[in-house]
Amino acid sequence: MNNHKELAKSYFLEGYNCAQAVVLAFHKELGLDKETAARMASAFGGGMGRLREVCGTVSGMLLVLGLLRGYSDPKDLEGKKELYSQVQQLARTFREHNKSIICRELLGLDHHSDEPTPSLRTPEYYKKRPCADLAADAAKILEDLLGGI
């Protein structure tokens, strides 16, 4: 069994964005190589391309969930219902742990979006951002829902 929590935190601290960190923590279970997993999640960092909307760690959880338990038949209403129930459960648990699922709220920002240029990953950046811990929490929440895969 992988320690997805520590993997997610480690990937974030390597420089991957928040969504990538969570998806990469599960890339082996998804049957994806690291490059594909990182590319798939790359647009969701910073609350979707630094729009500061839904936290990338939450988006990462949902990408993994969809690949592992998603439906593909548009007429599968039961499958859609079950998936959406799990999505809501993940979001609820993340919100209980962290007070929000919105990037700007988690970061204490008073604006809705930032310039597209990402912040440099300096020691000061890591000190003021909770993102590594949020990635770890998201991975653990997802691992728990999936039954400890």
Side-chain angles (χ1 to χ4, degrees):
M1 179 172 107
N2 285 320
N3 186 344
H4 298 99
K5 178 179 177 175
E6 292 306 317
L7 284 171
K9 186 171 188 170
S10 174
Y11 281 124
F12 185 81
L13 293 173
E14 275 184 49
Y16 289 100
N17 76 34
C18 44
Q20 289 173 316
V22 174
V23 173
L24 282 166
F26 291 88
H27 80 91
K28 291 178 183 172
E29 291 87 349
L30 297 172
L32 297 174
D33 61 83
K34 281 179 67 174
E35 182 179 351
T36 301
R39 285 177 179 268
M40 180 180 71
S42 63
F44 294 94
M48 297 184 297
R50 293 177 51 92
L51 289 172
R52 304 303 184 197
E53 296 295 339
V54 174
C55 174
T57 66
V58 174
S59 295
M61 283 194 298
L62 304 183
L63 284 165
V64 173
L65 180 67
L67 285 168
L68 291 176
R69 294 194 174 166
Y71 63 93
S72 59
D73 180 353
K75 295 181 176 118
D76 181 5
L77 297 181
E78 195 55 41
K80 186 183 286 191
K81 177 183 171 185
E82 179 58 30
L83 179 68
Y84 288 0
S85 175
Q86 291 177 26
V87 166
Q88 291 181 12
Q89 181 181 345
L90 288 171
R92 183 173 45 254
T93 303
F94 188 90
R95 191 179 287 116
E96 287 168 1
H97 290 195
N98 301 292
K99 310 292 186 246
S100 181
I101 64 167
I102 304 300
C103 175
R104 68 180 164 274
E105 294 172 4
L106 292 163
L107 296 180
L109 301 175
D110 60 1
H111 55 279
H112 285 272
S113 64
D114 286 321
E115 294 296 319
T117 304
S119 301
L120 293 176
R121 296 290 184 93
T122 63
E124 292 76 30
Y125 171 93
Y126 287 114
K127 284 180 188 173
K128 69 180 182 177
R129 294 277 196 226
C131 306
D133 291 329
L134 293 172
D137 190 46
K140 176 71 168 101
I141 291 167
L142 180 57
E143 182 179 74
D144 289 347
L145 179 99
L146 295 172
I149 66 166

